[in-house]
Amino acid sequence: MSNIGSYGERLNDFDWSLSEQELDYNKGDVINIGWYCTDRNCEQGLAEKTAFIWENAAGDERTYTFDDMRVLTNTIASYLKELGLEPGDRICLFLDRVPELYLSFLGILKMGGIAQPLFSAFGDESLHQRLGPAGTSAIFTQRKHVAKIRKIRDSLPDLKHIIVVDGDPEKLREREVIFDLDSTPRVEEFDVHPSTAETPSVLHYTSGTTGQPKGALHVHYSLISQYLSARWVLDLQPDDIYWCNADPGWVTGTSYGIIGPWANGITQAVLDSGFQTERWYKFIEKHRITVWYSAPTAIRLLMREGLDTVSKFDLSSLRHLCSVGEPLNAEAVHWSMEAYGLAFHDTYWQTETGSMVITNYPGMPIKAGSMGKPFPGIEATILDPDTFEPLNETGSVGVIGLKPGWPSMFRTYWNNQEVYDSKFINGWYVCGDRASIDADGYYWFQGRDDDTINTGGHLVGPFEIESALLEHDSVAESAAIGKPDEVNMEVVKAFVALKPGFEAGPDLELEIMNFVRKRLSPLAMPQEIEFVDSLPKTRSGKIMRRLLRAQEWGEPIGDISSLEND
Ligand code: PRX
């Protein structure tokens, strides 16, 4: 029997207090996610249970019990306090998926800091755009990533501590310290910061269609949503071995790669290695993974390898599969039934929502290609894109609107209340995605309602790419869009008009691609650059990405009455 039981019954009279009760939380109590994921499990008799199985590409393995987690997160929290860091300080995690990433995330929360995870493949400019505006005080990193921080630290006056978890004492520079978790004396008892519901917890930067990335700020009360959705949608049960593919640099990797599973006292396995089909299957086989949270791009890559590869491994431990980040095409659902005897359950949500909002539940019939139905306690609708009034019409396509008020909703964009406010119209939080609802209440994703590019489940902002392109000596103007891709759904394509004196050609194309990769990230790097004489613009001078995108996707061009040179 699944945890959720009957979806229909769960909807009736649903109240978030149900989750609060399960977590023994009463309004006004102290609530600290770091404590819930570690100490509470020990108090519940799980001290000796394996909490965390970690493995890297080389096959090195480590395991931690919940009591190990409790003590190690105490040790980190106490170290941060000794450094002089204070509750409310933004403390960045710029690490590969090493154990210190997971433990420091919880340690930061335990001392009242705001954890700011950033994807370790980010280049110096992406990093700068997120550390500067956040006024980040400290950053955890590894030797291999420290050069990127050194490049920008002079323009980051707030960044007082660069904490290198595998640092070389001979090579330390200004503001750098070494924190070697293995050799740091253990701290058995730590006074966990008495955070309450609205105390800030996590700051996740996310890319939008305009401007630089925005920091979605979450609070400790988000636990109420993350705990229950992990329990009901991922269906986590006491004996499960759970694997989430997502990197904690993105919200899936924190909400469901740290908080949700550990608040449920579940054993979690982490593989610190890139995608490789056989490696992944071996990992499932070796650790007897039961619940797997993955993403469409990974599933499409697995599909490409075919059923023969599947049959080489014993994947019989798997019992429940979920997916997130991009549309999960019907074909992928059918294939997973053939390959694993199980359907991937699509889940839809965002950095801003903090937890799943529309999903397929265990036990509910799956309509392959649909995102499923709203989570109990989430009031969702489809809004008319012009009036932002609910459409209330079966099959009509509009933008997804959510009634604000669920526990894990973001509370603001860091120092950007104006943009935060602009996301709420007629009392709805407007997600920026288009969808429709069928006669049975299932939601069907149609596409983004803006220019944000979704590559392999990661959002990339065209403005960030265009700004980076403009920094290259040769570029006069540019536009970045998503172009169709079989595996990643979209990849970045850039249109570039050159300054006089520069010659278009493959060498320059490669040079510009690498320029963006280094500054931003491999995800943001254009896979193709088309050199053009000029870009289509509105009369007010705004580049019409919409037009370029429609051409690229072979879609109708739509209204071009505002085009500059029509
Ligand atoms: O466009 C939607 C897409 O990813 C966006 C959110 O991205 P991010 O904030 O980075 O969070 C990703 C992981 C929660 C959404 O606005 N998206 C997410 N899940 C789905 C999806 N698109 C289609 N189907 C999904 N299941």
Side-chain angles (χ1 to χ4, degrees):
M1 175 76 170
S2 63
N3 286 334
I4 189 168
S6 150
Y7 171 70
E9 280 171 23
R10 288 299 193 184
L11 278 181
N12 289 336
D13 306 325
F14 176 86
D15 197 287
W16 290 107
S17 61
L18 180 77
S19 179
E20 296 178 350
Q21 280 160 24
E22 291 193 13
L23 290 166
D24 301 317
Y25 168 81
N26 294 303
K27 291 252 178 293
D29 280 358
V30 166
I31 177 171
N32 186 297
I33 291 173
W35 181 85
Y36 266 97
C37 291
T38 58
D39 299 52
R40 181 172 183 266
N41 290 315
C42 298
E43 287 185 9
Q44 305 263 318
L46 302 177
E48 296 314 316
K49 178 175 174 174
T50 300
F52 183 14
I53 303 168
W54 175 87
E55 195 177 310
N56 67 7
D60 303 328
E61 198 185 312
R62 288 186 177 202
T63 57
Y64 302 85
T65 62
F66 276 111
D67 197 54
D68 294 334
M69 301 270 293
R70 181 186 68 79
V71 175
L72 291 168
T73 52
N74 279 352
T75 306
I76 295 168
S78 148
Y79 169 76
L80 293 171
K81 278 187 91 169
E82 275 165 27
L83 271 187
L85 290 158
E86 292 186 4
D89 281 347
R90 276 74 64 211
I91 304 176
C92 176
L93 297 152
F94 190 54
L95 296 162
D96 294 348
R97 285 180 243 184
V98 291
E100 287 87 342
L101 169 57
Y102 297 81
L103 297 164
S104 303
F105 179 88
L106 297 172
I108 292 168
L109 297 181
K110 275 180 139 176
M111 55 75 67
I114 302 176
Q116 185 191 359
L118 291 178
F119 187 39
S120 62
F122 275 153
D124 52 305
E125 188 150 328
S126 285
L127 204 53
H128 193 259
Q129 284 158 1
R130 291 158 176 83
L131 297 177
T136 309
S137 308
I139 182 166
F140 278 92
T141 195
Q142 286 160 274
R143 211 186 282 199
K144 68 202 254 206
H145 299 306
V146 84
K148 295 189 266 189
I149 304 167
R150 285 178 182 165
K151 255 189 171 170
I152 53 173
R153 72 178 157 191
D154 287 347
S155 56
L156 295 171
D158 297 316
L159 190 67
K160 294 181 202 78
H161 309 284
I162 300 165
I163 307 166
V164 192
V165 299
D166 57 355
D168 177 348
E170 308 285 301
K171 297 198 176 138
L172 285 186
R173 305 240 190 111
E174 190 202 333
R175 290 188 247 172
E176 294 173 6
V177 283
I178 295 179
F179 176 67
D180 175 31
L181 186 56
D182 290 337
S183 63
T184 304
R186 301 291 181 256
V187 175
E188 269 296 323
E189 302 301 329
F190 177 80
D191 283 337
V192 175
H193 181 69
S195 42
T196 50
E198 294 304 306
T199 307
S201 55
V202 182
L203 182 62
H204 261 301
Y205 271 78
T206 178
S207 295
T209 187
T210 53
Q212 294 297 354
K214 288 160 249 323
L217 185 68
H218 291 280
V219 295
H220 282 266
Y221 191 61
S222 70
L223 176 68
I224 302 300
S225 299
Q226 290 152 345
Y227 160 82
L228 196 67
S229 49
R231 207 167 127 61
W232 283 1
V233 182
L234 300 172
D235 195 39
L236 299 174
Q237 315 257 356
D239 293 334
D240 274 322
I241 313 281
Y242 166 72
W243 182 31
C244 171
N245 293 161
D247 187 296
W250 313 101
V251 74
T252 307
T254 57
S255 292
Y256 298 102
I258 299 181
I259 305 171
W262 280 329
N264 275 277
I266 298 301
T267 304
Q268 180 166 209
V270 167
L271 178 62
D272 179 19
S273 139
F275 178 85
Q276 208 271 326
T277 308
E278 302 220 349
R279 186 80 191 73
W280 276 31
Y281 286 153
K282 213 168 129 200
F283 188 72
I284 295 173
E285 181 180 74
K286 177 173 170 197
H287 298 292
R288 308 291 300 152
I289 304 292
T290 56
V291 179
W292 181 18
Y293 198 16
S294 195
T297 290
I299 301 165
R300 285 191 287 269
L301 286 168
L302 294 167
M303 281 169 77
R304 227 168 43 175
E305 296 280 330
L307 295 170
D308 283 352
T309 317
V310 178
S311 64
K312 285 195 229 157
F313 297 86
D314 174 8
L315 307 179
S316 60
S317 56
L318 291 172
R319 70 164 187 86
H320 187 49
L321 315 180
C322 294
S323 162
V324 65
E326 323 147 56
L328 180 66
N329 40 322
E331 202 193 344
V333 177
H334 294 135
W335 183 81
S336 86
M337 290 177 73
E338 215 183 323
Y340 317 119
L342 300 164
F344 268 100
H345 290 63
D346 193 13
T347 67
Y348 165 87
W349 56 294
Q350 307 179 308
T351 304
E352 287 85 346
T353 68
S355 66
M356 301 164 181
V357 289
I358 297 174
T359 97
N360 289 277
Y361 301 87
M364 188 175 95
I366 289 182
K367 292 193 187 189
S370 158
M371 306 193 287
K373 298 186 178 188
F375 191 83
I378 300 284
E379 188 182 340
T381 193
I382 300 296
L383 301 167
D384 181 305
D386 296 319
T387 63
F388 293 94
E389 292 297 337
L391 277 169
N392 294 327
E393 230 176 273
T394 303
S396 297
V397 176
V399 288
I400 303 175
L402 303 172
K403 209 25 105 196
W406 68 97
S408 66
M409 197 180 142
F410 72 135
R411 297 302 197 260
T412 190
Y413 285 124
W414 190 263
N415 275 343
N416 209 339
Q417 187 67 19
E418 206 180 310
V419 177
Y420 175 81
D421 291 341
S422 73
K423 297 267 173 165
F424 298 86
I425 307 176
N426 291 344
W428 295 97
Y429 164 67
V430 181
C431 294
D433 291 305
R434 283 178 291 112
S436 62
I437 312 178
D438 72 13
D440 299 320
Y442 283 71
Y443 283 65
W444 296 80
F445 186 83
Q446 302 289 337
R448 291 281 314 177
D449 194 45
D450 58 20
D451 293 337
T452 312
I453 302 163
N454 186 335
T455 180
H458 299 110
L459 298 189
V460 186
F463 180 79
E464 293 163 64
I465 302 168
E466 290 158 7
S467 306
L469 285 165
L470 285 179
E471 282 174 39
H472 191 274
D473 287 347
S474 69
V475 178
E477 55 180 18
S478 68
I481 59 156
K483 74 165 196 169
D485 183 79
E486 253 182 44
V487 170
N488 291 292
M489 190 173 86
E490 290 185 342
V491 290
V492 176
K493 172 168 179 180
F495 293 83
V496 165
L498 293 173
K499 288 182 186 158
F502 288 91
E503 204 175 314
D507 288 349
L508 185 59
E509 183 180 9
L510 203 64
E511 186 186 313
I512 298 175
M513 284 174 172
N514 276 321
F515 182 79
V516 178
R517 181 176 59 79
K518 277 205 176 144
R519 298 206 149 201
L520 299 183
S521 75
L523 297 170
M525 180 183 87
Q527 303 289 321
E528 183 190 338
I529 295 179
E530 186 172 325
F531 293 103
V532 291
D533 292 334
S534 67
L535 291 163
K537 288 190 214 72
T538 61
R539 288 198 193 93
S540 59
K542 261 179 84 179
I543 290 169
M544 287 183 90
R545 293 188 199 111
R546 183 169 59 79
L547 198 79
L548 297 166
R549 193 185 145 90
Q551 280 167 358
E552 203 62 39
W553 290 71
E555 286 169 355
I557 285 168
D559 178 17
I560 50 164
S561 54
S562 62
L563 194 63
E564 184 187 44
N565 0 304
D566 57 343

